[in-house]
Amino acid sequence: MKQVHKMRFLFTIFATLVFLSVNFLLCASQSVIASGNETDRFALLAFKDRITSDPFGVLTSWNDSSHYCTWIGVLCIRRHPSRVTVLNLRAMSLTGSIYPHIGNLTFLQNLRLSNNSFNGEIPQEVGRLFRLQFLYLTNNSLQGEIPNNLTGKIVCTKLIYLFLTGNQLTGKLPTQLGSLYKLVVNIPPEIGKLSRLEFFQVSGNNLSGTIPAQLFNISSIYLFAVTGNQLHISVPPNVGNALPNLRSLAVGGNLFSGSLPTSISNVSGLSQLEFSRNQFTGHVPPNLGSLQDLVRLILGENQLGTGEADDLNFLSSLSNCSHLEVLALTGNNLSGQLPDSIANLSTKLTKLYMGGNRIFIFGKIV
């Protein structure tokens, strides 16, 4: 009987020790998580403090009445409990600046702030986000230069998507972008290393300087859009052979010069060719009719044409472009009699602009 009591006593002591140990471990674990909680929570609240206008009340849920992983636009995943991996506030009509404390969200992989009214500069602290893969800042009012440490040696090495269009960013694009071998989407000689680049889109900024020639040798590119900047370069004559997958080539509103490359007619899948408001000279390539998927051909406001009778010969070949909807040739130096082949253009053509040239119809300038 004494042996039974002794066994029960020992079992009680053992159970008590186990209970105390488990509770100690739980408390320690909660303490560690709480530490992580405070870092991310404080970073989010600091971000909120810089928002000056929130017309939809999106950030009203950002308070201590609920865990921050449940706040609108905030996502945490099980693999890293209580650490923010996604901050998605796109198209929320938010106004304010991006607070530097955002760099403390060190587990952040996806930052989407596009289509708002964020102003000021992109904080250097974004460069701390070494896990960042998606950075969407398009269509805001951001100014200044792109931070160099955004692409430094130890930061943002996992970056895949970079969207900066529709802001007022100035200066040169950081050369370090060439070290981001995983970049698929969107930039100084090092960009030629990005052999998988498919989508190059930097339209609507005040970028200046030249576009590196290496960019025109990345055959995987299917969209090339740099409209509305102050970039200058001559389009390489072999661009049509080097970029066979192009679907859209848009360089309007820059300082491009030289002649239009005849090789562009080799890009059979091209649907949009937009070269307006530049300084292109010489003939329009005569064989554009081989672009049978062409929908928009916009060449206005250049210095195209030589004043010779053959300036308009290219129009005859365009009769093969059965999908053509827009043809814009205004404000050039094109000269000559409007050919009868103009009547053979696509039946889908809805917009035809030819003013501001020296094109004749029955002896009168159009």
Side-chain angles (χ1 to χ4, degrees):
M1 194 68 176
K2 291 181 179 180
Q3 184 69 21
V4 173
H5 286 296
K6 183 177 181 181
M7 292 295 294
R8 287 179 178 176
F9 176 74
L10 291 174
F11 177 79
T12 301
I13 292 177
F14 175 76
T16 301
L17 290 173
V18 169
F19 175 78
L20 292 174
S21 297
V22 169
N23 274 275
F24 175 79
L25 291 174
L26 285 175
C27 289
S29 175
Q30 289 172 357
S31 177
V32 171
I33 293 176
S35 177
N37 283 353
E38 291 302 294
T39 299
D40 285 14
R41 186 172 70 87
F42 285 146
L44 291 172
L45 290 176
F47 178 89
K48 178 183 177 181
D49 286 342
R50 288 294 182 96
I51 302 301
T52 58
S53 178
D54 178 14
F56 299 145
V58 174
L59 302 185
T60 56
S61 69
W62 289 30
N63 57 62
D64 292 334
S65 65
S66 60
H67 193 279
Y68 63 85
C69 285
T70 66
W71 294 352
I72 293 176
V74 178
L75 179 65
C76 307
I77 59 175
R78 293 180 181 177
R79 184 178 178 184
H80 301 293
S82 299
R83 302 311 303 263
V84 177
T85 57
V86 177
L87 181 57
N88 183 4
L89 295 171
R90 63 177 298 274
M92 296 295 186
S93 296
L94 298 174
T95 301
S97 58
I98 302 175
Y99 197 56
H101 275 58
I102 198 168
N104 292 337
L105 299 174
T106 54
F107 279 76
L108 198 64
Q109 300 174 13
N110 193 327
L111 177 58
R112 297 174 183 250
L113 302 178
S114 54
N115 299 311
N116 285 289
S117 297
F118 285 100
N119 50 54
E121 298 184 352
I122 302 173
Q124 297 280 340
E125 287 75 7
V126 173
R128 297 178 185 170
L129 304 176
F130 64 94
R131 292 181 172 88
L132 195 65
Q133 298 181 37
F134 301 86
L135 178 57
Y136 294 81
L137 300 176
T138 56
N139 298 324
N140 281 285
S141 299
L142 297 170
Q143 301 173 343
E145 298 186 2
I146 300 171
N148 282 321
N149 76 339
L150 180 63
T151 53
K153 293 181 180 178
I154 60 172
V155 294
C156 292
T157 54
K158 296 184 178 180
L159 194 64
I160 297 176
Y161 290 93
L162 173 63
F163 287 88
L164 302 173
T165 60
N167 288 286
Q168 291 85 48
L169 298 172
T170 59
K172 296 180 179 180
L173 297 167
T175 58
Q176 294 94 330
L177 279 168
S179 65
L180 304 182
Y181 294 102
K182 291 189 176 182
L183 191 66
V184 178
V185 185
N186 323 41
I187 299 180
E190 289 78 5
I191 198 173
K193 299 176 183 178
L194 304 178
S195 59
R196 295 174 52 207
L197 191 68
E198 297 179 359
F199 184 109
F200 184 78
Q201 162 68 287
V202 292
S203 300
N205 288 287
N206 289 315
L207 300 175
S208 60
T210 62
I211 296 176
Q214 294 92 327
L215 180 61
F216 293 99
N217 290 322
I218 302 176
S219 61
S220 56
I221 291 179
Y222 67 87
L223 185 145
F224 185 108
V226 297
T227 56
N229 287 290
Q230 300 177 40
L231 300 167
H232 57 88
I233 195 174
S234 295
V235 179
N238 69 330
V239 63
N241 301 320
L243 302 180
N245 295 303
L246 270 181
R247 296 294 179 270
S248 178
L249 178 56
V251 302
N254 281 285
L255 303 172
F256 282 57
S257 59
S259 58
L260 300 181
T262 57
S263 66
I264 200 69
S265 61
N266 297 331
V267 188
S268 59
L270 195 65
S271 63
Q272 174 170 282
L273 188 58
E274 206 276 86
F275 281 2
S276 65
R277 294 174 292 119
N278 279 284
Q279 300 170 9
F280 289 108
T281 58
H283 287 288
V284 177
N287 49 357
L288 292 178
S290 61
L291 303 177
Q292 297 189 14
D293 290 334
L294 194 62
V295 175
R296 294 165 56 87
L297 178 58
I298 304 175
L299 306 176
E301 308 302 327
N302 280 286
Q303 301 168 32
L304 295 169
T306 62
E308 303 295 331
D310 61 351
D311 275 354
L312 301 177
N313 284 357
F314 70 94
L315 288 174
S316 297
S317 71
L318 291 180
S319 61
N320 295 321
C321 303
S322 59
H323 299 287
L324 191 64
E325 297 178 4
V326 179
L327 175 58
L329 305 171
T330 54
N332 281 289
N333 297 320
L334 298 171
S335 181
Q337 176 77 31
L338 189 68
D340 294 340
S341 59
I342 194 75
N344 298 326
L345 293 178
S346 169
T347 57
K348 296 181 180 180
L349 191 69
T350 58
K351 297 178 181 178
L352 176 61
Y353 305 100
M354 306 184 73
N357 288 284
R358 295 187 61 81
I359 300 175
F360 294 86
I361 301 178
F362 304 121
K364 294 182 179 181
I365 297 178
V366 176

